[in-house]
Amino acid sequence: MNLNFLDFEQPIAELEAKIDELRYVGDDAEINIEEEITRLQAKSKALTEAIFSNLTPWQVAQVARHPQRPYTLDYLVRTFTDFQELHGDRSFADDPAILAGLARLDDRPVMVIGHQKGRDTREKLHRNFGMPRPEGYRKALRLMKMAERFKLPILTLIDTPGAYPGIDAEERGQSEAIARNLFEMAGLRTPIICTVVGEGGSGGALAIGLGDRTLMLQYSTYSVISPEGCASILWKSAEKAADAAEALGITSNRLKELGLIDVIVSEPLGGAHRDVDLMADRIRLTLKEELAALDEIPVDELLEKRYERFMSYGKFSEK
Amino acid sequence: MSWFEKLMPSRIRTVPGNKRQVPEGVWSKCDGCSAVLYRSELERNQDVCPKCSHHMRIGARRRLDIFLDPESREEIGEGLEPIDTLKFRDSKKYRDRLAQAQKVTGEKDALVVMRGKLLGIPIVAAAFEFRFMGGSMGAVVGERFVRAADTALEHRIPLICFAASGGARMQEALFSLMQMGKTSAVLARLSAEGIPYISVLTDPTMGGVSASLSMLGDINIAEPRALIGFAGPRVIEQTVREKLPDGFQRSEFLLEHGAIDMIIDRREQREEIGNLLSMLTHRS
């Protein structure tokens, strides 16, 4: 695979380039090429481990937005089987920035809903860079309610820079669409597991992100505002995005410490894009495990616990 | 500086802006029509310009004072105070920003809640203080809102909330985002119990507050010409690279697009909301 290396991965990129070169010269060299390649590969792996064990929040944000980062569709065909996409909000349109439909998690039918980004320019535009409009959230809500009726668990995959800031989105009630989902998700009588697989961008993420469990892939991010947005407002300069990322605490580790998420799904060395199959499988296993735990809880108790969970968010002092 | 001003010797140059300054306290200038208004007259008129009906922004306490009957008011959740869990620091420390906002407004945080009466009907009313860090929603705002709703639930009385907010409070990071879920969840309970919730959107109501508690009223009401939306107009302009239509994201625009039920002049809100509540709660 031709990997796109990020800035901070340059030392790895150089090593990998060297390995490639060695492969080219392969036959006519006198030294034992294979041995050298193995040695360099081990070195590359050690280097990757070293770099990835110590990423700054801003570097994590780069991994979460990596051009080869697996998107919802990549998981839909690996983590799940029999995916049947369902379209439309029944009142205005179908929003390609949110994918939703029935699928099986091993044998069990589930409702999967996720943001979808595009890979090439055409698809990026088609998917609106994963930024939903109100009809996307309303489609999600329609299908969540359907899942409730047919007693299917709801599994959401979150990966969006945020809800679309556009004229049409405002006209059709972006605020109301998000608010309505939050309102309804609090009371859906079926287990909900939300997994942040890439970018968890603010209200646009939360609108399919409230449930009984919140999972995050190791190098995904979840934040009230993008580091760039925060930097340009509070520091008056988008250049300070790295500082903002640090202050906002957007990484899975930090959010787990703060008690805002439940489970971190570890990623393959170098990030999910290095081994999509492995990542998809880990997600499958984690979802099964979490779902099994939620199955044990009677639905009234589940809702009570979900409510308590929401009420527990935020710390303050009281005199 | 124009060529003419450059030619002028500095001693006869006047600093623009100074000459029309209005002495503080006695006179106020209307932000809508620039009319100079007698402060006490404006106050009698509930901070609505008597000339052009422009609704000025008002503080949370004044809002509740205008709205509630004078007797039997009781504040809820006043003991709650924000803490800086994340030790957040941008160009300033969050702690310092809080201290500054508390000093300027005299409030502990950006939401004030009171139990009281409206034309004799027992209610719980909440109001955002926009001058407190842009009325942003953090943990204390979320918790006070929940306590307002819980009081409404406990006594089975209506809840009214006056929103004025830039959205979630960045300095509380993801905690503040979660307040959207928290406040929406308690409103779902209110709704299930058949307790009326009326949301009044005032200038401005944006972002996370717009996309949670303030759009979830059984009845959504706006004040005239208030800016209401999810994304800020500048962000939208930068994204779509076109000029925004006239009146975009104003109350009248929202009414036209079906996002709110009605626009009510501040001076008529007591009467009209009282009337709506009496019908929703089957009073004569």
Side-chain angles (χ1 to χ4, degrees), chain B residues 197-208:
Chain B
Y197 167 52
I198 293 186
S199 172
V200 185
L201 299 109
T202 76
D203 187 58
T205 303
M206 306 298 293

Side-chain angles (χ1 to χ4, degrees), chain A residues 131 162-168 170-184 186-187 200-207 209-210 214 216 222-226 229-231 233-236 243-244 246-250 254-255 258-261 303-304 306-308 310-319, chain B residues 77 79-83 85-92 97 108 139-140 143 146-147 150 153 168-189 191-192 206-207 210-213 215-217 220 228-232 235-237 239-240 242-245 248-249 253 257-259:
Chain A
M131 296 186 289
Y164 181 55
I167 296 175
D168 54 344
E170 295 289 325
E171 282 174 341
R172 295 197 288 278
Q174 188 73 289
S175 292
E176 194 273 347
I178 295 171
R180 188 62 52 195
N181 282 18
L182 305 179
F183 179 93
E184 296 286 352
S202 193
L206 193 70
L210 281 180
T214 309
M216 274 179 85
Y222 200 177
S223 181
V224 66
I225 183 169
S226 71
C230 180
I233 297 171
L234 291 181
W235 279 265
K236 316 275 177 226
D243 295 323
E246 190 82 43
L248 286 166
I250 59 178
R254 185 83 178 103
L255 294 171
L258 293 169
L260 286 165
I261 64 159
L303 290 194
E304 199 51 46
R306 189 185 298 164
Y307 187 77
E308 279 165 22
F310 295 174
M311 292 306 126
S312 74
Y313 291 138
K315 297 188 172 67
F316 42 79
S317 72
E318 183 155 25
K319 285 196 178 126
Chain B
L80 297 168
E81 292 187 19
I83 51 176
T85 326
L86 300 170
K87 307 261 177 293
F88 195 97
R89 182 187 190 141
D90 47 80
S91 53
K92 255 188 191 171
R97 284 188 194 266
K108 291 290 178 214
V140 170
E143 180 68 15
V146 166
R147 295 204 184 172
D150 282 345
L153 265 173
R169 186 172 299 166
M170 280 176 282
Q171 290 84 353
E172 292 188 25
L174 203 66
F175 284 110
S176 66
L177 188 73
M178 294 305 167
Q179 303 310 308
M180 294 169 65
K182 181 169 171 170
T183 54
S184 302
V186 78
L187 287 173
R189 292 225 154 162
S191 176
M206 306 298 293
S210 165
S212 62
L213 60 97
M215 276 293 166
L216 293 171
N220 292 334
I228 302 161
F230 178 67
V235 175
I236 298 176
E237 216 157 32
T239 309
V240 302
E242 50 184 292
K243 213 170 146 21
L244 302 177
F248 180 65
Q249 292 184 321
F253 174 92
H257 285 91

Side-chain angles (χ1 to χ4, degrees), chain A:
Chain A
M1 182 161 70
N2 183 17
L3 292 169
N4 275 308
F5 286 100
L6 300 167
D7 283 350
F8 63 86
E9 293 179 301
Q10 276 320 305
I12 307 171
E14 280 161 24
L15 258 182
E16 292 291 329
K18 214 179 266 177
I19 294 170
D20 281 348
E21 262 171 45
L22 272 180
R23 285 207 177 104
Y24 275 124
V25 291
D27 296 339
D28 44 67
E30 283 161 21
I31 50 162
N32 189 340
I33 300 286
E34 276 313 309
E35 213 168 85
E36 182 66 6
I37 288 180
T38 317
R39 195 182 65 81
L40 285 178
Q41 276 172 335
K43 202 174 159 194
S44 168
K45 182 165 177 266
L47 191 62
T48 311
E49 269 163 16
I51 290 175
F52 273 77
S53 65
N54 212 1
L55 294 183
T56 66
W58 180 236
Q59 288 169 337
V60 172
Q62 305 305 306
V63 180
R65 301 171 182 170
H66 194 286
Q68 285 165 324
R69 182 94 181 158
Y71 299 146
T72 292
L73 259 177
D74 300 307
Y75 295 122
L76 274 170
V77 297
R78 290 176 175 83
T79 302
F80 305 91
T81 51
D82 284 353
F83 175 60
Q84 287 290 332
E85 189 175 357
L86 302 173
H87 292 276
D89 70 344
R90 294 293 186 272
S91 40
F92 182 76
D94 182 49
D95 185 353
I98 287 190
L99 269 181
L102 296 164
R104 284 179 205 275
L105 182 67
D106 286 348
D107 286 332
R108 181 172 188 177
V110 294
M111 182 67 78
V112 189
I113 297 169
H115 301 99
Q116 179 64 36
K117 293 179 177 174
R119 198 68 67 187
D120 58 30
T121 308
R122 219 181 105 230
E123 206 202 344
K124 277 183 179 146
L125 287 172
H126 175 61
R127 301 288 182 188
N128 199 28
F129 302 88
M131 296 186 289
R133 293 182 165 87
E135 49 272 27
Y137 295 119
R138 289 175 182 142
K139 166 171 70 178
L141 181 58
R142 174 176 79 83
L143 295 172
M144 288 193 275
K145 290 190 147 188
M146 180 169 131
E148 180 186 44
R149 277 198 304 284
F150 296 102
K151 302 194 165 38
L152 305 172
I154 298 164
L155 308 175
T156 72
L157 301 178
I158 293 166
D159 188 15
T160 179
Y164 181 55
I167 296 175
D168 54 344
E170 295 289 325
E171 282 174 341
R172 295 197 288 278
Q174 188 73 289
S175 292
E176 194 273 347
I178 295 171
R180 188 62 52 195
N181 282 18
L182 305 179
F183 179 93
E184 296 286 352
M185 287 179 92
L188 287 174
R189 300 178 65 80
T190 187
I192 308 172
I193 301 177
C194 310
T195 308
V196 185
V197 296
E199 283 181 277
S202 193
L206 193 70
I208 58 165
L210 281 180
D212 304 299
R213 290 279 192 282
T214 309
L215 282 46
M216 274 179 85
L217 303 199
Q218 190 177 3
Y219 304 123
S220 64
T221 58
Y222 200 177
S223 181
V224 66
I225 183 169
S226 71
E228 294 92 331
C230 180
S232 67
I233 297 171
L234 291 181
W235 279 265
K236 316 275 177 226
S237 155
E239 311 275 289
K240 295 281 187 185
D243 295 323
E246 190 82 43
L248 286 166
I250 59 178
T251 61
S252 57
N253 283 334
R254 185 83 178 103
L255 294 171
K256 180 98 196 298
E257 272 170 22
L258 293 169
L260 286 165
I261 64 159
D262 306 287
V263 182
I264 298 174
V265 190
S266 63
E267 296 195 19
L269 181 62
H273 58 286
R274 294 281 196 103
D275 193 340
V276 184
D277 289 330
L278 179 62
M279 187 75 253
D281 205 48
R282 283 187 188 165
I283 295 175
R284 180 180 62 85
L285 292 173
T286 314
L287 286 176
K288 278 187 74 174
E289 205 173 294
E290 294 302 321
L291 209 49
L294 294 175
D295 282 338
E296 298 296 311
I297 309 170
V299 75
D300 286 325
E301 200 183 319
L302 185 75
L303 290 194
E304 199 51 46
K305 284 197 161 147
R306 189 185 298 164
Y307 187 77
E308 279 165 22
R309 212 175 124 78
F310 295 174
M311 292 306 126
S312 74
Y313 291 138
K315 297 188 172 67
F316 42 79
S317 72
E318 183 155 25
K319 285 196 178 126

Side-chain angles (χ1 to χ4, degrees), chain B residues 67-80:
Chain B
F67 187 68
L68 291 168
D69 295 349
E71 63 279 355
S72 66
R73 297 176 184 178
E74 183 198 331
E75 189 163 352
I76 294 167
E78 74 267 44
L80 297 168

Side-chain angles (χ1 to χ4, degrees), chain B residues 52-109:
Chain B
C52 71
S53 288
H54 175 76
H55 284 52
M56 324 232 169
R57 291 177 183 174
I58 57 173
R61 262 176 219 280
R62 173 141 165 78
R63 171 74 67 181
L64 295 177
D65 191 47
I66 291 174
F67 187 68
L68 291 168
D69 295 349
E71 63 279 355
S72 66
R73 297 176 184 178
E74 183 198 331
E75 189 163 352
I76 294 167
E78 74 267 44
L80 297 168
E81 292 187 19
I83 51 176
D84 178 18
T85 326
L86 300 170
K87 307 261 177 293
F88 195 97
R89 182 187 190 141
D90 47 80
S91 53
K92 255 188 191 171
K93 282 185 194 160
Y94 178 36
R95 278 181 49 190
D96 296 342
R97 284 188 194 266
L98 279 175
Q100 172 76 10
Q102 286 168 344
K103 204 172 136 204
V104 170
T105 61
E107 300 296 345
K108 291 290 178 214
D109 213 310

